[in-house]
Amino acid sequence: MSIKDTATHSGFSQFYIRKQCKSGTVPCRMAGTKYMIDYEAFMEREHRLAAQAVAKPYVM
């Protein structure tokens, strides 16, 4: 799925998704000059990160 389509379906910004692709933290491939994202793997990663953030207590 393209960055634009992933952003539309996930609610994340295109900038955020592109940044994650460039850093290698999102499962994606280059198709010419475009990133193609594995949408299911991307969403699983985001859910896992959200669950970790909720599980950690906030310490001041």
Side-chain angles (χ1 to χ4, degrees):
M1 187 176 276
S2 69
I3 288 176
K4 184 177 181 180
D5 291 338
T6 302
T8 300
H9 292 288
S10 69
F12 291 99
S13 72
Q14 291 183 37
F15 177 80
Y16 173 77
I17 297 167
R18 187 173 295 105
K19 183 176 164 186
Q20 297 303 310
C21 286
K22 287 182 179 181
S23 70
T25 58
V26 168
C28 62
R29 292 182 177 209
M30 290 293 289
T33 59
K34 290 187 172 189
Y35 285 105
M36 299 304 290
I37 293 111
D38 180 344
Y39 180 75
E40 289 182 18
F42 171 73
M43 291 307 294
E44 285 176 17
R45 177 185 175 277
E46 293 302 324
H47 286 265
R48 192 170 49 251
L49 290 174
Q52 289 173 355
V54 170
K56 291 182 182 178
Y58 181 72
V59 179
M60 290 180 83

